[in-house]
Amino acid sequence: MIAQLRRIAGDDAVIEGAPAPYASDATQETLGLRGSARATVRPPDAERVRRVVAWCYDHDVPIVPRGGGTGFAGGAVPSEDAVVLSLERLDRFRELEPAAWRAHVEAGVSTATVTRRARESGLLFPPNPGAAEQSQIGGNVATNAGGPRAFKYGVTRRWVTGLEAVVAPGEVLRTGGAVRKDVTGYDLTGLLCGSEGTLGVVTSVWLRFVPLPERSAQVAGFYESAADGCAAIAAVFASGGQPAALEYVDAGALAATAAAFPAAVPAGARFLVLAEADGRDAEVASDAAELGEALAAGALLTHVATTRGDLDALARWREGVSGAVTGLLGAKVSDDVAVPVERLAEMLERADAIGARHGLRTCSWGHAGDGNLHVSFLLPPGDLPLRAAAMRASHELHAAAVELGGAISGEHGIGSVKRGELGLQLGDVGLRLHAAVKQALDPKGLFNPGKKQ
Amino acid sequence: MIAQLRRIAGDDAVIEGAPAPYASDATQETLGLRGSARATVRPPDAERVRRVVAWCYDHDVPIVPRGGGTGFAGGAVPSEDAVVLSLERLDRFRELEPAAWRAHVEAGVSTATVTRRARESGLLFPPNPGAAEQSQIGGNVATNAGGPRAFKYGVTRRWVTGLEAVVAPGEVLRTGGAVRKDVTGYDLTGLLCGSEGTLGVVTSVWLRFVPLPERSAQVAGFYESAADGCAAIAAVFASGGQPAALEYVDAGALAATAAAFPAAVPAGARFLVLAEADGRDAEVASDAAELGEALAAGALLTHVATTRGDLDALARWREGVSGAVTGLLGAKVSDDVAVPVERLAEMLERADAIGARHGLRTCSWGHAGDGNLHVSFLLPPGDLPLRAAAMRASHELHAAAVELGGAISGEHGIGSVKRGELGLQLGDVGLRLHAAVKQALDPKGLFNPGKKQ
């Protein structure tokens, strides 16, 4: 098999087994998850990806596509009978057309590179799911990644006008393209977005950009309680503006990161709301003032960041929240549910109660405007009984989110970590159609088996 | 059959055959298309829709779902063996939650009602595909309708967070809901959006809104040629702002509507570009000034509308363009292709050349920023040879759009009018997956047969 894959993909493209980092993703740090595989293939171009898929499909070998490995759902963790198919060498911009606000990029280009090259052309690629230097655009598309700015700008799907993917049994599918509007066929672009590598392997994507906002500003409000913070979030909704982002950090996550916060955190602060305004110079000034007013009601303190330095410091702090929370006990079960925004306070209460019932230290942060909570159940690494308790708590968390009209995953995906939970949300008819779509596109069930199901 | 349908849907819900308006859609006016059907059913609620679908699916009777009947692709024109299933009586708001920027509305609610009720709550429902009083939200979703504001805000899909649909063999599917982010299952919401009634019958949708912009302004630029106008469009793209809309009207369409334009049209004007800015008061003032500057280069004249009265007059004029063009000879073959925006000038030239080669008077207008052209080939009503020529011209137009990297339908859909054209754009693999998805969701092929294929 190794010899055949080398003949197909190139001598330097095939590694036996799945050495680090190919055996895991971000769940190695949070959960200690690690898989194994028969081989890891790193094809140099899309045609070689096609040939590898064709060979695997012909030989009934499972294919585990891999981007930057920053996922929190175990979507890139391989099974022992599989071939890991890493897209990292597909790292070219096939086209960059600033005058038309778009680019055509290969799957292995890092999110940070997309963002940077757009910015250099005076354009914004809005999605900012985090881990931008390591995460790859193909993985962002495969998981339909979100992030803070999704509140104003939408998730990754909205910025994809077309894609190229290798589908069963080893053929190249092209959907959409450089065109911004297209209702010709069924939305196969949308179907591949968020499919977590279970319907095919994305090799390139056409992305849309928007003009770069002239500036941004952030307003932080600190509150004595989640209830006060959620009231401030409601005040932002009622204020008449559209913030670029509207984030929250709860008591536990705030405690873990307060020392690193780029300004003084007031005593007694047990909830943080962070709102961002972006746009024209004049607009941002008035929007930030309005956000400040909305967040001030019931706040212990508000803090405004308007300079590049202050904004960068806040962004670095925000990016560090997840790692700081992991560091509290050394590991965590990291969940990601979403609820209608007016149920946020209730969902926060339920998460704490569920964690307490299972003897788990619990904290959360996330995208308040989208009702998207990243709930963490903290664990010492290797504590298997507590990990089992956390998995039971996660199941209850999913059931609670669905009961409140929400989703068991807002942006991280199902991967292998939430395996078996789909039925809680989709219902019998939804499950049946989900399976029918999978069967229609992957009749042998070889694309990332065991994931998103 | 009529008796059985009456038992299922209610005595007052079933009409024999398909009297006007149920036998056609907007293609009756443009193309004289008219179908027939065994019965027209207007169920009073979603459960009755489900029962009708179940009965039809069980008895192998084709189902032609029907919204407001404003489509230009013949998607609602029934076949003689079918039952027309009109959603008009599903006209309730199941929920309106202004504090969370959303609503849950039934499929038969008119687009204008959605827009108006959002506006009364200080919110914007962005899609404005036209014919808002007659068109229904279910039809907007089924065709993934666009319109001028799609340039900034995206098409209907972006504003749908979930839906309820009756799928084969007569079951209720619920996807998403009030939650704004959801990556749990495959994107069935997106799959139903734009499926033109061929995968199921949408009975309700959850819609997202945004805060209502404080104001808007429009700038019109008149040019001597399409080339000058397209250069102005490129200047708008380079200007650093994001207009809400960026429209064009070509020489023929301008001539048909110049008398109704709410300001003096300069002599020699053969191309119009219309750009809209919206947002905060201060922002709109500076954006409109910037748009005015971008559009002034090479213009014969620019015209700015900022008052409610002037803006309404422009909107009324814009809404009348299609009808005025139909009125030139009495009928038209109305096409709707999209190309990458930098190919707009080339596509305009090709459209004119194709029309001329077939002896057809040709004109166009559309959504320049999205590269979306509504090309009309004009005809006297009932001129069958010329209509056949127009259909051949349309086929060439589709091929040209695909050659330029575009789509054979930007927003009107495939319906029956573009039947058989999918392969031009989708390619063999795309066609195969399109058919596989149809087969997976509608194994008997009873949902709107002959459409979107």
Side-chain angles (χ1 to χ4, degrees):
Chain A
M1 170 170 166
I2 299 288
Q4 293 195 55
L5 288 171
R6 285 202 168 122
R7 215 184 50 241
I8 291 166
D11 280 346
D12 61 342
V14 183
I15 308 169
E16 282 195 59
Y22 299 105
S24 191
D25 57 18
T27 55
Q28 173 143 27
E29 194 201 349
T30 55
L31 281 174
L33 291 197
R34 207 184 135 77
S36 61
R38 293 168 73 181
T40 299
V41 188
R42 307 180 310 146
D45 55 43
E47 169 55 17
R48 244 66 78 93
V49 173
R50 191 196 64 71
R51 286 190 221 163
V52 170
V53 169
W55 187 90
C56 289
Y57 222 84
D58 192 36
H59 292 80
D60 294 318
V61 174
I63 301 148
V64 179
R66 181 182 180 82
T70 58
F72 283 106
V77 179
S79 54
E80 58 184 4
D81 57 343
V83 162
V84 173
L85 182 49
S86 170
L87 283 303
E88 68 198 283
R89 290 170 72 192
L90 277 69
D91 62 355
R92 290 184 314 122
F93 270 64
R94 293 194 189 162
E95 181 195 51
L96 175 62
E97 196 71 68
W101 300 354
R102 68 161 196 268
H104 180 197
V105 305
E106 292 186 334
V109 174
S110 77
T111 317
T113 303
V114 172
T115 306
R116 181 176 52 74
R117 295 205 53 188
R119 182 177 295 266
E120 287 166 0
S121 301
L123 297 167
L124 174 71
F125 176 63
N128 58 340
E133 295 294 343
Q134 195 187 335
S135 96
Q136 295 168 11
I137 196 70
N140 293 166
V141 169
T143 57
N144 198 11
R149 271 201 294 256
F151 183 50
K152 174 175 176 177
Y153 291 100
V155 292
T156 301
R157 167 68 186 98
R158 166 151 165 73
W159 304 98
V160 178
T161 59
L163 50 80
E164 178 190 273
V166 180
V167 295
E171 295 180 332
V172 177
L173 169 73
R174 282 188 194 86
T175 68
V179 68
R180 294 168 57 102
K181 271 166 100 178
D182 176 5
V183 292
T184 299
Y186 297 135
D187 183 12
L188 298 178
T189 308
L191 204 53
L192 270 291
C193 280
S195 65
E196 303 184 35
T198 64
L199 301 178
V201 182
V202 173
T203 50
S204 76
V205 290
W206 280 267
L207 299 175
R208 284 204 307 116
F209 304 135
V210 286
L212 196 62
E214 286 174 358
R215 55 176 290 223
S216 64
Q218 296 206 21
V219 184
F222 293 94
Y223 305 87
E224 275 184 347
S225 68
D228 288 353
C230 289
I233 289 162
V236 170
F237 268 81
S239 71
Q242 168 69 68
L246 184 55
E247 304 278 296
Y248 84 94
V249 179
D250 86 346
L254 186 56
T257 57
F261 193 80
V265 173
R270 294 182 56 78
F271 202 82
L272 168 65
V273 178
L274 200 57
E276 180 177 351
D278 72 352
R280 299 285 194 181
D281 275 329
E283 184 194 3
V284 171
S286 69
D287 281 2
E290 199 172 84
L291 286 174
E293 205 171 304
L295 292 184
L300 294 166
L301 184 81
T302 60
H303 165 77
V304 182
T306 57
T307 68
R308 193 69 264 155
D310 286 351
L311 290 165
D312 287 347
L314 260 182
R316 276 194 305 274
W317 172 82
R318 176 65 185 80
E319 180 88 1
V321 171
S322 181
V325 168
T326 307
L328 287 172
L329 295 187
K332 69 185 180 201
V333 168
S334 181
D335 218 299
D336 161 59
V337 294
V339 292
V341 63
E342 74 277 16
R343 313 304 287 268
L344 180 62
E346 197 173 347
M347 190 67 220
L348 285 164
E349 275 175 32
R350 292 217 192 182
D352 285 344
I354 289 168
R357 200 154 56 234
H358 290 277
L360 292 156
R361 202 167 145 190
T362 306
C363 66
S364 80
W365 65 93
H367 315 302
D370 282 325
N372 187 186
L373 302 85
H374 297 319
V375 178
S376 284
F377 300 118
L378 308 183
L379 319 164
D383 186 331
L384 296 184
L386 211 53
R387 191 180 140 192
M391 297 308 284
R392 288 193 299 274
S394 267
H395 177 75
E396 290 178 24
L397 196 71
H398 304 159
V402 170
E403 198 188 321
L404 297 182
I408 67 175
S409 180
E411 56 180 23
H412 289 171
I414 300 302
S416 54
V417 168
K418 296 190 180 179
R419 185 169 183 175
E421 302 282 280
L422 283 185
L424 281 178
Q425 181 185 334
L426 300 191
D428 290 345
V429 179
L431 265 188
R432 180 170 64 74
L433 294 189
H434 185 88
V437 166
K438 169 74 172 175
Q439 174 69 24
L441 269 72
D442 180 18
K444 283 185 165 185
L446 293 175
F447 286 110
N448 218 2
K451 316 292 168 57
K452 207 172 183 76
Q453 66 181 40
Chain B
M1 170 169 167
I2 298 288
Q4 294 196 54
L5 287 172
R6 285 201 170 126
R7 214 184 51 241
I8 292 166
D11 280 347
D12 60 342
V14 183
I15 309 169
E16 282 195 58
Y22 300 105
S24 191
D25 57 17
T27 55
Q28 172 144 27
E29 192 200 349
T30 56
L31 282 173
L33 290 197
R34 208 185 135 76
S36 61
R38 293 168 72 181
T40 298
V41 188
R42 308 180 308 148
D45 55 43
E47 169 55 18
R48 245 66 78 91
V49 172
R50 191 196 64 71
R51 287 190 222 163
V52 170
V53 169
W55 187 90
C56 288
Y57 221 82
D58 191 38
H59 291 81
D60 294 317
V61 174
I63 302 147
V64 179
R66 179 182 182 83
T70 59
F72 282 107
V77 179
S79 53
E80 58 184 2
D81 57 345
V83 162
V84 172
L85 182 48
S86 171
L87 283 302
E88 69 198 282
R89 291 171 71 191
L90 277 70
D91 61 355
R92 289 185 313 125
F93 269 64
R94 293 193 189 163
E95 180 196 51
L96 175 63
E97 196 71 67
W101 301 352
R102 68 161 195 270
H104 179 197
V105 304
E106 292 186 334
V109 174
S110 76
T111 317
T113 303
V114 173
T115 306
R116 179 177 53 74
R117 295 207 51 189
R119 180 178 297 265
E120 287 166 358
S121 302
L123 298 168
L124 175 70
F125 176 63
N128 58 340
E133 295 294 343
Q134 196 187 334
S135 96
Q136 294 169 10
I137 195 69
N140 293 166
V141 169
T143 57
N144 197 10
R149 271 201 294 256
F151 183 48
K152 173 174 177 178
Y153 292 99
V155 292
T156 301
R157 167 69 186 98
R158 169 154 164 68
W159 304 98
V160 178
T161 59
L163 50 80
E164 179 191 274
V166 179
V167 295
E171 296 179 333
V172 177
L173 170 72
R174 284 190 192 85
T175 69
V179 67
R180 293 169 57 103
K181 271 166 101 178
D182 176 4
V183 294
T184 299
Y186 297 135
D187 183 12
L188 299 178
T189 308
L191 205 53
L192 270 291
C193 279
S195 65
E196 303 182 35
T198 64
L199 300 178
V201 182
V202 174
T203 50
S204 76
V205 291
W206 280 267
L207 299 175
R208 285 205 305 116
F209 305 135
V210 286
L212 196 63
E214 287 174 357
R215 53 178 289 222
S216 64
Q218 295 207 22
V219 185
F222 293 95
Y223 305 88
E224 275 184 345
S225 68
D228 287 353
C230 288
I233 289 162
V236 170
F237 267 81
S239 71
Q242 168 69 69
L246 184 55
E247 304 277 298
Y248 84 94
V249 179
D250 85 346
L254 187 55
T257 57
F261 193 80
V265 173
R270 293 182 57 77
F271 201 83
L272 167 66
V273 178
L274 200 56
E276 180 176 351
D278 72 353
R280 300 285 194 180
D281 274 328
E283 184 194 4
V284 170
S286 69
D287 282 3
E290 199 173 84
L291 285 174
E293 207 172 302
L295 292 184
L300 294 166
L301 184 80
T302 60
H303 166 76
V304 182
T306 56
T307 66
R308 193 67 266 155
D310 285 352
L311 290 165
D312 287 347
L314 260 182
R316 276 194 305 274
W317 172 82
R318 175 67 186 79
E319 179 89 1
V321 170
S322 181
V325 167
T326 307
L328 286 171
L329 294 187
K332 69 186 179 199
V333 169
S334 180
D335 217 301
D336 160 58
V337 294
V339 292
V341 62
E342 74 276 16
R343 313 305 287 268
L344 180 62
E346 196 174 346
M347 190 67 221
L348 286 164
E349 275 175 30
R350 293 218 193 181
D352 285 344
I354 288 167
R357 198 153 60 235
H358 290 277
L360 292 156
R361 201 167 146 190
T362 307
C363 66
S364 81
W365 66 93
H367 314 302
D370 282 325
N372 189 185
L373 302 85
H374 297 318
V375 178
S376 284
F377 299 119
L378 309 184
L379 318 164
D383 186 331
L384 296 183
L386 210 54
R387 192 181 138 190
M391 296 309 284
R392 288 193 299 274
S394 267
H395 177 75
E396 291 178 23
L397 195 72
H398 303 159
V402 170
E403 198 188 320
L404 297 181
I408 68 176
S409 180
E411 58 178 23
H412 289 171
I414 301 301
S416 54
V417 166
K418 296 190 179 179
R419 185 171 184 174
E421 303 282 280
L422 283 184
L424 282 176
Q425 181 185 335
L426 300 192
D428 290 346
V429 179
L431 265 188
R432 181 170 63 75
L433 294 190
H434 184 90
V437 166
K438 169 73 172 176
Q439 174 69 24
L441 269 72
D442 180 18
K444 284 185 165 185
L446 294 175
F447 285 110
N448 218 0
K451 315 290 168 59
K452 207 173 183 74
Q453 65 181 41

Short mmCIF file of all heavy atoms in Angstrom, two decimals, chain B residues 256-278:
data_model
loop_
_atom_site.label_atom_id
_atom_site.label_comp_id
_atom_site.label_asym_id
_atom_site.label_seq_id
_atom_site.Cartn_x
_atom_site.Cartn_y
_atom_site.Cartn_z
N ALA B 256 -36.64 52.65 -22.77
CA ALA B 256 -38.02 52.25 -22.49
C ALA B 256 -38.57 52.92 -21.23
O ALA B 256 -39.78 52.97 -21.04
CB ALA B 256 -38.10 50.74 -22.35
N THR B 257 -37.68 53.42 -20.38
CA THR B 257 -38.12 53.88 -19.07
C THR B 257 -37.67 55.30 -18.75
O THR B 257 -37.96 55.82 -17.68
CB THR B 257 -37.53 52.96 -17.96
OG1 THR B 257 -36.10 52.96 -18.10
CG2 THR B 257 -38.04 51.55 -18.08
N ALA B 258 -36.98 55.94 -19.71
CA ALA B 258 -36.41 57.27 -19.45
C ALA B 258 -37.49 58.28 -19.10
O ALA B 258 -37.32 59.13 -18.21
CB ALA B 258 -35.59 57.74 -20.64
N ALA B 259 -38.62 58.18 -19.77
CA ALA B 259 -39.70 59.16 -19.55
C ALA B 259 -40.19 59.10 -18.11
O ALA B 259 -40.64 60.10 -17.55
CB ALA B 259 -40.84 58.91 -20.53
N ALA B 260 -40.12 57.91 -17.52
CA ALA B 260 -40.62 57.75 -16.15
C ALA B 260 -39.55 58.03 -15.11
O ALA B 260 -39.84 58.04 -13.91
CB ALA B 260 -41.16 56.32 -15.97
N PHE B 261 -38.30 58.22 -15.53
CA PHE B 261 -37.24 58.46 -14.55
C PHE B 261 -37.54 59.74 -13.78
O PHE B 261 -37.92 60.74 -14.38
CB PHE B 261 -35.87 58.55 -15.25
CG PHE B 261 -34.71 58.47 -14.28
CD1 PHE B 261 -34.28 57.24 -13.79
CD2 PHE B 261 -34.07 59.63 -13.84
CE1 PHE B 261 -33.22 57.16 -12.88
CE2 PHE B 261 -33.02 59.56 -12.93
CZ PHE B 261 -32.59 58.33 -12.45
N PRO B 262 -37.37 59.73 -12.47
CA PRO B 262 -37.81 60.87 -11.67
C PRO B 262 -36.94 62.13 -11.78
O PRO B 262 -37.12 63.07 -11.02
CB PRO B 262 -37.81 60.32 -10.24
CG PRO B 262 -36.94 59.12 -10.26
CD PRO B 262 -36.98 58.58 -11.65
N ALA B 263 -36.00 62.16 -12.73
CA ALA B 263 -35.24 63.39 -12.98
C ALA B 263 -34.96 63.41 -14.48
O ALA B 263 -35.26 62.43 -15.18
CB ALA B 263 -33.92 63.39 -12.18
N ALA B 264 -34.39 64.49 -14.96
CA ALA B 264 -34.13 64.60 -16.40
C ALA B 264 -33.00 63.64 -16.78
O ALA B 264 -31.96 63.61 -16.12
CB ALA B 264 -33.75 66.03 -16.76
N VAL B 265 -33.22 62.85 -17.82
CA VAL B 265 -32.18 61.97 -18.33
C VAL B 265 -31.41 62.73 -19.40
O VAL B 265 -32.01 63.26 -20.34
CB VAL B 265 -32.80 60.68 -18.92
CG1 VAL B 265 -31.74 59.82 -19.60
CG2 VAL B 265 -33.51 59.89 -17.82
N PRO B 266 -30.09 62.84 -19.28
CA PRO B 266 -29.35 63.66 -20.23
C PRO B 266 -29.37 63.07 -21.64
O PRO B 266 -29.42 61.85 -21.81
CB PRO B 266 -27.92 63.65 -19.67
CG PRO B 266 -27.83 62.44 -18.82
CD PRO B 266 -29.20 62.23 -18.26
N ALA B 267 -29.34 63.94 -22.64
CA ALA B 267 -29.29 63.49 -24.03
C ALA B 267 -28.03 62.66 -24.24
O ALA B 267 -26.98 62.96 -23.68
CB ALA B 267 -29.27 64.70 -24.96
N GLY B 268 -28.17 61.61 -25.03
CA GLY B 268 -27.00 60.77 -25.33
C GLY B 268 -26.72 59.72 -24.28
O GLY B 268 -25.75 58.95 -24.41
N ALA B 269 -27.54 59.66 -23.22
CA ALA B 269 -27.30 58.66 -22.17
C ALA B 269 -27.67 57.28 -22.70
O ALA B 269 -28.79 57.06 -23.18
CB ALA B 269 -28.13 58.99 -20.93
N ARG B 270 -26.72 56.36 -22.63
CA ARG B 270 -26.98 55.00 -23.12
C ARG B 270 -26.64 53.95 -22.05
O ARG B 270 -26.60 52.75 -22.34
CB ARG B 270 -26.18 54.73 -24.40
CG ARG B 270 -26.67 55.59 -25.57
CD ARG B 270 -25.93 55.31 -26.87
NE ARG B 270 -26.02 53.90 -27.27
CZ ARG B 270 -27.06 53.31 -27.82
NH1 ARG B 270 -28.15 54.02 -28.07
NH2 ARG B 270 -27.03 52.03 -28.15
N PHE B 271 -26.43 54.41 -20.84
CA PHE B 271 -26.14 53.46 -19.76
C PHE B 271 -26.33 54.19 -18.45
O PHE B 271 -25.90 55.33 -18.29
CB PHE B 271 -24.69 52.94 -19.87
CG PHE B 271 -24.45 51.62 -19.15
CD1 PHE B 271 -24.77 50.41 -19.77
CD2 PHE B 271 -23.89 51.58 -17.87
CE1 PHE B 271 -24.53 49.19 -19.14
CE2 PHE B 271 -23.66 50.37 -17.23
CZ PHE B 271 -23.97 49.17 -17.87
N LEU B 272 -26.96 53.49 -17.50
CA LEU B 272 -27.21 54.08 -16.18
C LEU B 272 -26.62 53.17 -15.12
O LEU B 272 -26.79 51.95 -15.17
CB LEU B 272 -28.73 54.20 -15.96
CG LEU B 272 -29.21 54.51 -14.52
CD1 LEU B 272 -28.76 55.88 -14.06
CD2 LEU B 272 -30.73 54.39 -14.43
N VAL B 273 -25.91 53.76 -14.17
CA VAL B 273 -25.46 53.03 -12.99
C VAL B 273 -26.11 53.68 -11.78
O VAL B 273 -26.14 54.91 -11.66
CB VAL B 273 -23.92 53.07 -12.85
CG1 VAL B 273 -23.48 52.35 -11.58
CG2 VAL B 273 -23.26 52.45 -14.07
N LEU B 274 -26.65 52.84 -10.90
CA LEU B 274 -27.39 53.34 -9.74
C LEU B 274 -26.78 52.69 -8.51
O LEU B 274 -26.76 51.46 -8.40
CB LEU B 274 -28.85 52.92 -9.91
CG LEU B 274 -29.95 53.62 -9.15
CD1 LEU B 274 -29.94 55.12 -9.41
CD2 LEU B 274 -31.29 53.04 -9.58
N ALA B 275 -26.26 53.50 -7.60
CA ALA B 275 -25.63 52.95 -6.40
C ALA B 275 -26.36 53.46 -5.17
O ALA B 275 -26.79 54.62 -5.12
CB ALA B 275 -24.16 53.36 -6.33
N GLU B 276 -26.51 52.58 -4.19
CA GLU B 276 -27.21 52.95 -2.96
C GLU B 276 -26.26 52.83 -1.78
O GLU B 276 -25.48 51.87 -1.68
CB GLU B 276 -28.41 52.01 -2.75
CG GLU B 276 -29.20 52.33 -1.48
CD GLU B 276 -30.45 51.46 -1.31
OE1 GLU B 276 -30.79 50.73 -2.26
OE2 GLU B 276 -31.05 51.52 -0.23
N ALA B 277 -26.31 53.80 -0.90
CA ALA B 277 -25.58 53.71 0.38
C ALA B 277 -26.61 53.65 1.48
O ALA B 277 -27.64 54.32 1.41
CB ALA B 277 -24.69 54.94 0.56
N ASP B 278 -26.35 52.86 2.52
CA ASP B 278 -27.24 52.87 3.68
C ASP B 278 -26.43 52.72 4.96
O ASP B 278 -25.28 52.30 4.93
CB ASP B 278 -28.33 51.79 3.57
CG ASP B 278 -27.80 50.37 3.77
OD1 ASP B 278 -26.56 50.19 3.85
OD2 ASP B 278 -28.62 49.44 3.82
#
